[in-house]
Amino acid sequence: MSNPRNPEEFKIQAVNQVIEKKLPVADVAARLGVSTHSLYAWVKRYSKPQEERQQGDDQQAELRRLRAELKRVTEERDIFKKGRRVLCQGVRLKYAFIKQQAADYSVRRLCLTLKIHPSGYYAWLSEPQSARAKDDQRLLGLIKHSWLESGGVYGYRKIHDDLREIGEACGRHRVARLMRIEGLRSQTGYRRRPGKYGGKPAVASPNLLKRQFDVVEPNTVWVTDITYIRTYEGWLYLAVVLDLFSRQVVGWSMKPQMTSDLANDALLMAVWRRKPKQEVMVHSDQGSQYSSSDWRSFLKANNLVASMSRRGNCHDNAVAESFFQLLKRERIKRKIYITREDARGDVFDYIEMFYNAKRRHGFNNQLSPVKFEKRYAASLESV
């Protein structure tokens, strides 16, 4: 499972509770479920002016870049010195050199320096079960080498010509098959191919939840959705992730545009805060934010399983809809927000300082989501 970064907007709003509202650090840390050490570090960082903080970040980023560049140049120089005898040799000799030097340098750095595709090297390194499979892997290494040298623009016809030129007796269809299996394609330009766009999402996950909103333990099923908040500056979009076990908001994100990052950052916060050990179902509607490749890649990398409501059926995600109704009834419709930042701070106050930590919930036997989960954890310890 990947280890996502700490969400910055969560830390900024936490610091605002200490600096602007003059709340004790220990009290804020306890309500948010973070350590006082972390909160003090956040206060130290985000109490500085934005320009000063940005300047420090830029300097650190530039220092890291220069160190990485120095390491890259040094490694390439050393690799060239050691491998000067194989630079003009065949690809198989380069593979053997990479295997010999893999203990001192990363395989990717060796491959980039010698202009070898890493997957071609690993294909050469593996031992196929049959002679045909072994020859396919050998041929695939040559195909990838030719494809890489072309800058990723050659199709199977041109690569077949390259192979024939170096003396490889193979059929064009065999080259096409190996490239198709490996996902190697020719560059076809930037024009969009004719077809139908819009309508149903290209990737729609099945409705695994099926309105089974009662779960018996935390981090089993999360639901997520997006709503909008009106301000005089324009719309502020809010994405939330709730744990069905306690109805706690475990992740959220607020942005001025409804992009895929809005949904991804809310889910990132949920993973950061909960750190689930087992597989978690994440239920959403069929919006474009939840069918994007970034969303599906994040789910796969963090052991999360996608579930989607049926198209046009809001009742399949009733818990998230219910929370938004509660938020708007109890807070948003009672306020007038001049700026998006005003709305952001007020929504943070409602979610983290009131709803999660203190608001009694009928589903939780009139306990707040945080207290309900603490009681559950205590019952497990007593068993």
Side-chain angles (χ1 to χ4, degrees):
M1 181 181 297
S2 64
N3 184 20
R5 67 187 186 279
N6 298 338
E8 186 163 350
E9 61 179 338
F10 177 89
K11 294 186 285 189
I12 292 174
Q13 294 299 331
V15 170
N16 289 342
Q17 301 297 313
V18 177
I19 295 178
E20 298 180 4
K21 298 193 175 181
K22 309 299 183 182
L23 296 179
V25 172
D27 187 20
V28 175
R31 291 195 184 188
L32 300 183
V34 299
S35 66
T36 55
H37 176 77
S38 297
L39 189 52
Y40 275 121
W42 298 348
V43 170
K44 181 179 179 181
R45 170 177 169 78
Y46 292 101
S47 60
K48 297 179 181 179
Q50 175 69 21
E51 294 182 359
E52 182 179 347
R53 189 168 71 246
Q54 185 63 43
Q55 184 178 6
D57 291 345
D58 293 342
Q59 291 175 351
Q60 291 295 326
E62 180 64 12
L63 182 60
R64 288 193 297 269
R65 188 191 68 80
L66 291 175
R67 286 175 176 171
E69 183 67 11
L70 178 60
K71 180 181 178 182
R72 181 188 66 81
V73 172
T74 303
E75 287 185 348
E76 289 183 353
R77 180 201 62 191
D78 294 340
I79 293 172
F80 273 123
K81 285 183 178 179
K82 295 180 179 180
R84 60 183 180 272
R85 294 183 179 179
V86 301
L87 290 176
C88 298
Q89 300 298 323
V91 66
R92 295 177 65 83
L93 292 178
K94 293 181 180 179
Y95 288 159
F97 173 79
I98 292 173
K99 183 179 180 180
Q100 182 184 5
Q101 300 295 325
D104 298 327
Y105 307 98
S106 69
V107 172
R108 182 166 295 275
R109 176 62 60 204
L110 288 163
C111 291
L112 289 175
T113 304
L114 298 179
K115 298 182 179 179
I116 294 293
H117 200 289
S119 59
Y121 165 74
Y122 286 117
W124 171 84
L125 195 62
S126 64
E127 291 294 335
Q129 296 180 352
S130 64
R132 176 70 174 183
K134 185 175 182 179
D135 193 60
D136 277 349
Q137 292 297 328
R138 180 193 64 81
L139 186 60
L140 183 59
L142 299 176
I143 290 172
K144 290 180 177 178
H145 182 66
S146 175
W147 183 80
L148 185 65
E149 284 188 333
S150 75
V153 302
Y154 274 7
Y156 72 92
R157 295 180 179 86
K158 289 185 173 63
I159 289 181
H160 176 259
D161 292 338
D162 282 353
L163 296 179
R164 293 293 297 271
E165 186 174 336
I166 63 175
E168 285 292 330
C170 60
R172 182 177 292 180
H173 294 295
R174 185 181 181 189
V175 175
R177 174 177 61 84
L178 293 175
M179 291 185 65
R180 182 172 62 252
I181 293 174
E182 198 64 18
L184 304 179
R185 298 181 178 179
S186 62
Q187 174 63 44
T188 57
Y190 297 102
R191 183 179 62 85
R192 297 178 73 183
R193 295 181 181 274
K196 182 179 179 181
Y197 299 95
K200 295 183 178 181
V203 179
S205 301
N207 184 5
L208 303 177
L209 184 59
K210 297 179 180 179
R211 301 191 188 181
Q212 301 298 317
F213 299 132
D214 296 340
V215 297
V216 296
E217 59 181 339
N219 297 330
T220 303
V221 181
W222 296 345
V223 296
T224 181
D225 204 352
I226 298 174
T227 192
Y228 52 89
I229 302 167
R230 187 192 302 271
T231 75
Y232 281 163
E233 278 189 344
W235 295 110
L236 177 69
Y237 295 94
L238 166 68
V240 298
V241 179
L242 293 93
D243 192 321
L244 280 186
F245 173 72
S246 63
R247 277 29 177 194
Q248 180 177 349
V249 179
V250 295
W252 52 264
S253 180
M254 289 176 273
K255 298 184 184 300
Q257 291 88 27
M258 190 165 60
T259 62
S260 59
D261 289 340
L262 177 71
N264 291 345
D265 288 351
L267 187 58
L268 183 148
M269 183 186 293
V271 173
W272 167 67
R273 297 179 74 174
R274 307 292 276 194
K275 298 177 177 61
K277 304 298 183 183
Q278 73 280 7
E279 187 179 80
V280 181
M281 181 193 303
V282 180
H283 184 80
S284 67
D285 59 27
Q286 295 188 19
S288 59
Q289 295 79 13
Y290 301 117
S291 59
S292 66
S293 58
D294 289 343
W295 174 265
R296 289 183 281 112
S297 297
F298 188 87
L299 292 179
K300 183 178 180 180
N302 290 275
N303 199 25
L304 307 175
V305 178
S307 171
M308 285 186 175
S309 303
R310 291 167 294 177
R311 190 162 183 81
N313 197 324
C314 61
H315 300 291
D316 288 349
N317 203 10
V319 174
E321 296 287 346
S322 177
F323 169 77
F324 285 147
Q325 293 176 9
L326 197 67
L327 168 67
K328 293 182 178 181
R329 184 175 70 247
E330 294 185 349
R331 183 62 62 94
I332 293 176
K333 290 186 177 180
R334 297 171 179 262
K335 300 289 185 71
I336 296 177
Y337 301 117
I338 305 301
T339 65
R340 292 189 178 98
E341 192 59 34
D342 293 339
R344 186 188 300 271
D346 198 40
V347 172
F348 175 90
D349 182 83
Y350 179 85
I351 293 176
E352 298 291 354
M353 309 303 292
F354 175 65
Y355 177 85
N356 280 346
K358 302 191 68 174
R359 189 189 184 282
R360 299 182 184 276
H361 203 297
F363 180 78
N364 297 336
N365 296 324
Q366 300 305 320
L367 295 175
S368 70
V370 170
K371 290 182 178 178
F372 184 77
E373 291 199 2
K374 288 182 177 179
R375 189 179 71 171
Y376 172 80
S379 66
L380 292 180
E381 295 176 356
S382 63
V383 174

